[in-house]
């Protein structure tokens, strides 16, 4: 029934393994996939994993740093596996406790674990217990509730049941008798109305005698002709006359409409001589610094002092809570020893110990814009990682959980593969072909703007760029890219590059097939020896099936070197839905067995979120792909790479 069972240390040393009869394939592939995809990526909240035709279940032993993995065919439904893996773990620990406590690679390598007989005994017991239970038999008709119903009770009458009719008659009779009881209700109703009046007249909090005295004074004033004091009301503000709509003056709009007239262009992206004169004039707002080499990393102001203070406060709170609950007052020495007992690691962590701290951590992550589902999975993964682990000396539960969560977040944000676009472009150039990058995402996240920033970065590093205008849906999309092209060429004039424009735009207007335009642009770039092709696509919502099919077609036909998903840092729970559905659409509409999915992420509007950087965690956790670029502003220089530790520091900051 079982294909394999293996026990190995977290250092990678296999202590013992079992392979089922008739199984010839090695289990190293599925186990390595489990380690890469789940354990190393902090996704151990769920204890099951599927690899091809196998279903794997695993259990972590954090005290002795062991991993227990069992594999079986996923078409089988083995109900005893969870209990069986727990029994094997306990049995193996108890039997080899002395060896495992020594903790050392050489000790484990030199030790011999003869566990075959015990394993087969446990497996036999588990299979027999599952057979003994067996499937539950169906109830007979006589034992069901339906057999107790009569035919009369199942017939629906037009006017309802007799009981209801009788009830209706009773209600009518009750209504007829109601007027006799009206005076009593009226007397009872007078009390609340009088109480409401006293409250309205400002008599709240006065005794009955004071209210009577007040009313007498008012009556005397009326008789004498004196004005009655009225409760003061706040004066109404005088109504201001509505101002007319003021004319908005754009700072870069120009003083005349002639500057905005581009009707003299010849339609191929080339303009008249007068336009080149305007482009060549350097705009004072476009004096940009050099971006040669690798991008700068996103950074935050160091807050180590604040973090230390927070940790000290947390330690004090935990120690005070522990001593107030468990340790009675025994003088000064008793209090001191109680505090030390709360700090010193004397026992292994359990789920109950971590639960209050993890709940606070979960709320903290959600407040920092991490998707709620992702925050729960992260906390569950940390709990599995720490359960059974013996705490270090002079450490608390809060600091241990916080440290483990911080390490997990850094591990998630670290790229799992090499991301070096400059090196990849050079390699493509040596093969005499362009390096193709496709940008996709929902509406309004900044695809075209960040495409222009990446163009500027590539130009600064000496590459020629062709921009393919494949957004044939949004009005103004082609004109936006043409404006960026003119500005980039004014920053790097053609005369500095042998008379050839370093950035060109390939466009065919609106309403055309985006996949066809991208294919023509790549062929044109190959013939004209361009280094990079940047494909701009139309923004689309993740639940728009026709547009998602068109995007999958564009990627499947042209097979770009890099597919970048552009997402904004402001998004919260929506990030999960967007990325899952984008990846699903690319997989469903692909024509190959191994479909092209999202290869990386461009995180935009990062300068608008302060320390609410949770979208970075949500996106990388869902896709398992790295954040390649981070947009931090509106100029061509505002492009950064991700600094995982700085982002995690901002995320954990209170």
């Amino acid at each position: 029934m079982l294909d394999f069972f293996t026990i190995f240390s977290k250092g990678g040393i296999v202590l013992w393994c079992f392979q089922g009869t008739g199984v010839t394939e090695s289990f190293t592939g599925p186990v390595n996939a489990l380690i890469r995809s789940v354990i190393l990526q902090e996704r151990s909240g769920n204890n099951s994993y599927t690899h091809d035709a196998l279903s794997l279940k695993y259990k972590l032993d954090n005290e002795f740093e062991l991993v227990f993995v069992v594999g079986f065919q996923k078409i089988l439904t083995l109900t005893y596996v969870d209990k069986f893996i727990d029994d094997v773990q306990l049995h193996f620990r108890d039997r080899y406790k002395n060896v495992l406590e020594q903790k050392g690679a050489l000790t484990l390598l030199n030790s011999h674990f003869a566990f075959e007989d015990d394993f087969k005994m446990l497996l036999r017991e588990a299979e027999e217990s599952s057979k003994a239970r067996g499937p539950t038999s169906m109830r007979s008709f006589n034992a069901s509730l339906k057999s107790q119903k009569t035919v009369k009770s199942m017939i629906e009458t037009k006017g309802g049941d007799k009981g209801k009719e009788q009830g209706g008659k009773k209600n009518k009779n009750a209504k007829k008798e109601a007027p006799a009881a009206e005076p009593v209700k009226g007397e009872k109703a007078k009390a609340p109305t009088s109480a409401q009046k006293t409250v309205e007249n400002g008599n709240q909090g006065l005794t009955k005698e004071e209210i009577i005295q007040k009313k007498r004074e008012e009556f005397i004033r009326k008789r004498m002709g004196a004005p009655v004091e009225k409760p003061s009301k706040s004066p109404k503000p005088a109504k201001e006359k509505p101002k007319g709509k003021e004319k908005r003056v754009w700072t870069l709009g120009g003083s005349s409409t002639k500057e905005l007239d581009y009707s003299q262009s010849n339609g191929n992206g080339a303009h008249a001589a007068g336009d080149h004169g305007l482009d060549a004039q350097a705009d004072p707002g476009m004096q940009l610094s050099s971006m040669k080499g690798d991008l700068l990393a996103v950074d935050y102001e160091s807050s180590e002092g604040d973090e230390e203070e927070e940790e000290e406060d947390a330690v004090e709170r935990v120690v005070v809570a522990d001593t107030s609950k468990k340790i009675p007052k025994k003088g000064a020495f008793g209090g001191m020893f109680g505090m030390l007992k709360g700090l010193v690691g004397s026992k292994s962590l359990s789920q109950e110990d971590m639960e209050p701290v993890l709940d606070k951590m979960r709320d903290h992550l959600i407040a920092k814009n991490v998707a709620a589902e992702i925050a729960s999975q992260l906390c569950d993964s940390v709990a599995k990682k720490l359960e059974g682990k013996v705490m270090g000396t002079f450490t608390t539960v809060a600091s241990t959980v916080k440290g483990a969560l911080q390490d997990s977040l850094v591990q998630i944000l670290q790229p799992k593969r090499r991301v070096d676009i400059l090196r990849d472009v050079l390699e493509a150039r040596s093969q005499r072909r362009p390096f193709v990058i496709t940008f996709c995402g929902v509406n309004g996240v900044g695809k075209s703007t960040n495409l222009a920033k990446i163009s500027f970065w590539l130009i600064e590093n000496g590459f020629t760029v062709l921009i393919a205008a494949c957004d044939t849906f949004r009005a103004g999309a082609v004109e936006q890219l043409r404006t960026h092209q003119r500005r980039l060429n004014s920053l790097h004039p053609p005369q500095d590059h042998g008379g050839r424009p370093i950035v060109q735009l390939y466009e065919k207007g609106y309403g055309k097939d985006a996949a066809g335009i991208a294919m023509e642009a790549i062929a044109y770039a190959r013939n004209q020896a361009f280094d990079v092709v940047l494909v701009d696509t139309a923004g689309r919502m993740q639940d728009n099936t026709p547009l998602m099919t068109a995007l999958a077609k564009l990627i499947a036909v042209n097979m770009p070197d890099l597919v970048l998903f552009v997402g904004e840092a402001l998004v919260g729970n929506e990030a999960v839905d967007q990325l899952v559905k984008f990846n699903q659409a690319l997989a469903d509409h692909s024509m190959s067995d191994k479909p092209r999915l999202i290869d990386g992420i461009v995180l935009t509007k990062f300068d608008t979120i302060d320390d609410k950087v949770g979208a970075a965690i949500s996106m990388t956790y869902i896709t398992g792909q790295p954040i390649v670029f981070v947009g931090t502003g509106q100029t061509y220089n505002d492009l950064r790479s991700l600094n995982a530790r700085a982002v995690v520091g901002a995320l954990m900051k209170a």
Side-chain angles (χ1 to χ4, degrees), residues 240-246:
E240 297 180 0
K241 292 181 179 179
K243 294 181 180 180
K245 188 176 179 181
E246 295 180 0

Side-chain angles (χ1 to χ4, degrees), residues 168-195:
K169 287 176 184 177
K170 285 177 184 176
N171 290 340
K172 285 177 185 176
N173 295 333
K175 283 179 184 176
K176 287 177 184 177
E177 294 170 10
E182 273 181 5
V184 180
K185 288 183 181 176
E187 289 171 8
K188 288 181 182 177
K190 284 179 185 177
T193 53
S194 62

Side-chain angles (χ1 to χ4, degrees), residues 316-338:
E316 287 174 8
R317 284 196 297 272
V318 171
V319 171
V320 168
D322 289 345
T323 52
S324 61
K325 284 180 185 176
K326 296 177 183 178
I327 301 168
K329 293 181 181 179
K330 294 180 181 178
F333 288 104
M336 181 63 70
F337 284 120

